[in-house]
Amino acid sequence: LYGNFVDNLRLYVRGGSGGMGVPRLGGHGGDGGDVWLVSRKGVTLRQIKNRHPDKRFTGGVGADSSVQALKGEKGKDCEVFVPPGISVTTDEGKVIAVLNALGDRVCVAKGGRGGSLHSGFLPSKGQIRQIRLDLKLIADMGLVGFPNAGKSTLLTALSHAQTRIASYPFTTVRPEIGMVMYDDHKQVSVADLPGLIEGAHMNKGLGHKFLKHVERIRQLLIVVDVCGFQLADSTPLRSAFQTLHLLIRELRLYNKELLRKHVVLIINKMDLPDADEKLHEFLHQLENHHDFSHLLPDDATPEHFLKFQHIVPVSASTGVGIPLLKRLLRTSLEEQDAMATENQREDKLQELRRLQSTSVKPRMDVFVLCFKKINLIFFF
């Protein structure tokens, strides 16, 4: 929960009970209704919480068998509409389902069976469960950075998102998504996610509440203050080079697969004094990272230094570099799509070659049979 934003919810779900059977007529009671989760556009977990304060959802009861209807009608199913990007888990963390696309649906509580000959015409109760809904935002790109790196200002400069901007850390306490618009009506979604702190992978600060959203982002936009970062007077001042690798460490320790994503490095606040000199030093350190690895804490020194798709210096507050950044965001996504298409083409080509080689493989039993026939003809 970030302010008014809800990204996780616990629900009580129960399938409806079955209907009674009629022994003397052999009638079957109707089955109880099921409880379904259905992914729908425009729905939020906040809406579910407000509309259903008790957070209880129950399927309808199956109709009893009767003289008029020996087979009772099934109880009404209960449909709970949820936003796309939902992971459904048990209290123990076991994943029941993931609803990514609009229209995805999953039964989370089965209704009870109606009374029949096999049950002595007595119905059964529906399934009871406590489930958790965990939302992971879906966006093309996500802004990743320590507090006060200027992510909110950057998102406002790139899009029309209305974000809170202030000079103190942790301005962003809930995710914001803005749409970057282009002249040909192309849109790119960019998420401004709550600022990390050192130790976020151990759930410090907003911890996992932030990092889980990074999993659903197509590309990472790492934002670094060109002058470095200092959370408080009691904490050390980190240079831009150190800040970058501390950010990468938090991502790697949470889930190293995150670093397989395409990454764009944004060097922000180029309007500050001495920014050009600090930028030159930062770029020099990136180009010769092995010579400056001694500046990093031992646990922040990576085995392999990260390669960036693009490195873009900007000033979100003055707009310097923003037009170039907008173009590069689209270019980077198009490059990723082209690479994915090429990989799919190669996979299909390899599969066709494999099938072709299998279909034309000579069969020895056919050659042997032909050889025998030839011998027989020659002999007679």
Side-chain angles (χ1 to χ4, degrees):
L1 174 65
Y2 312 96
N4 291 325
F5 180 77
V6 178
D7 65 353
N8 61 83
L9 207 58
R10 188 170 185 260
L11 304 180
Y12 170 92
V13 292
R14 187 184 72 201
S17 298
M20 290 289 294
V22 179
R24 64 187 177 85
L25 300 176
H28 288 204
D31 294 339
D34 306 322
V35 180
W36 292 81
L37 300 183
V38 183
S39 177
R40 173 178 283 187
K41 185 178 181 180
V43 179
T44 66
L45 294 185
R46 164 63 67 178
Q47 292 173 349
I48 298 174
K49 183 178 180 181
N50 290 342
R51 294 172 184 172
H52 306 275
D54 57 355
K55 292 176 284 186
R56 297 170 67 92
F57 298 90
T58 306
V61 177
D64 294 337
S65 175
S66 65
V67 176
Q68 291 79 16
L70 291 180
K71 174 62 176 177
E73 290 188 5
K74 185 180 186 296
K76 185 178 181 181
D77 288 344
C78 174
E79 290 189 337
V80 184
F81 297 109
V82 299
I86 287 287
S87 294
V88 188
T89 64
T90 63
D91 278 342
E92 294 75 29
K94 180 181 178 182
V95 177
I96 299 172
V98 179
L99 307 180
N100 285 332
L102 295 176
D104 283 355
R105 55 192 292 125
V106 61
C107 179
V108 291
K110 291 287 293 180
R113 301 299 297 272
S116 66
L117 176 64
H118 301 291
S119 63
F121 298 96
L122 296 176
S124 62
K125 295 182 178 180
Q127 183 182 19
I128 298 176
R129 261 179 168 174
Q130 301 279 357
I131 62 171
R132 294 182 180 273
L133 308 183
D134 196 31
L135 174 66
K136 297 179 182 179
L137 293 178
I138 304 174
D140 293 319
M141 296 184 159
L143 297 168
V144 179
F146 283 139
N148 215 25
K151 301 187 304 300
S152 296
T153 308
L154 183 60
L155 183 64
T156 302
L158 287 169
S159 68
H160 299 291
Q162 299 298 315
T163 57
R164 293 177 59 197
I165 301 168
S167 59
Y168 52 87
F170 299 109
T171 302
T172 302
V173 294
R174 64 187 181 94
E176 299 277 357
I177 295 183
M179 301 302 297
V180 182
M181 308 292 292
Y182 295 88
D183 292 338
D184 60 355
H185 306 293
K186 170 74 175 179
Q187 298 182 17
V188 173
S189 57
V190 180
D192 174 21
L193 302 167
L196 285 170
I197 64 170
E198 293 183 47
H201 69 279
M202 296 184 294
N203 213 17
K204 291 183 179 180
L206 294 172
H208 294 176
K209 287 183 177 294
F210 160 80
L211 287 166
K212 71 175 185 179
H213 293 297
V214 181
E215 297 177 28
R216 299 295 302 278
I217 304 293
R218 292 182 61 194
Q219 294 192 12
L220 301 181
L221 305 178
I222 294 183
V223 185
V224 175
D225 186 332
V226 70
C227 295
F229 169 69
Q230 185 176 22
L231 181 63
D233 293 338
S234 58
T235 58
L237 172 64
R238 307 291 193 180
S239 67
F241 182 72
Q242 292 170 324
T243 300
L244 171 63
H245 287 93
L246 288 171
L247 278 168
I248 294 173
R249 179 188 67 173
E250 295 302 327
L251 296 172
R252 173 172 51 84
L253 292 177
Y254 174 73
N255 183 353
K256 62 182 180 181
E257 293 299 317
L258 296 178
L259 299 180
R260 295 183 181 273
K261 296 178 181 288
H262 288 234
V263 182
V264 175
L265 174 60
I266 302 173
I267 306 172
N268 195 19
K269 302 191 179 182
M270 288 302 299
D271 55 301
L272 296 178
D274 302 324
D276 289 335
E277 180 181 341
K278 292 182 181 297
L279 173 64
H280 179 76
E281 179 184 7
F282 185 22
L283 294 178
H284 177 68
Q285 290 172 331
L286 288 177
E287 291 174 3
N288 304 277
H289 44 75
H290 290 293
D291 296 335
F292 295 95
S293 59
H294 65 279
L295 300 175
L296 305 175
D298 292 336
D299 58 350
T301 304
E303 296 179 3
H304 305 285
F305 283 86
L306 196 62
K307 292 184 179 180
F308 302 101
Q309 299 300 118
H310 304 282
I311 299 177
V312 194
V314 302
S315 169
S317 60
T318 65
V320 173
I322 296 299
L324 172 61
L325 177 58
K326 289 181 68 172
R327 292 196 298 271
L328 287 179
L329 295 187
R330 180 170 178 175
T331 300
S332 184
L333 286 172
E334 290 173 347
E335 289 172 350
Q336 182 178 353
D337 291 339
M339 186 179 300
T341 301
E342 179 63 22
N343 290 338
Q344 290 176 358
R345 192 189 71 83
E346 284 294 328
D347 291 341
K348 288 182 179 179
L349 187 59
Q350 292 293 335
E351 180 65 16
L352 287 173
R353 286 173 177 169
R354 186 186 67 79
L355 292 174
Q356 186 178 19
S357 62
T358 303
S359 62
V360 301
K361 185 178 180 180
R363 292 180 55 185
M364 294 304 297
D365 56 337
V366 174
F367 284 129
V368 171
L369 180 61
C370 292
F371 181 74
K372 287 181 178 179
K373 286 183 177 180
I374 292 172
N375 281 343
L376 286 171
I377 294 171
F378 180 78
F379 178 77
F380 286 108

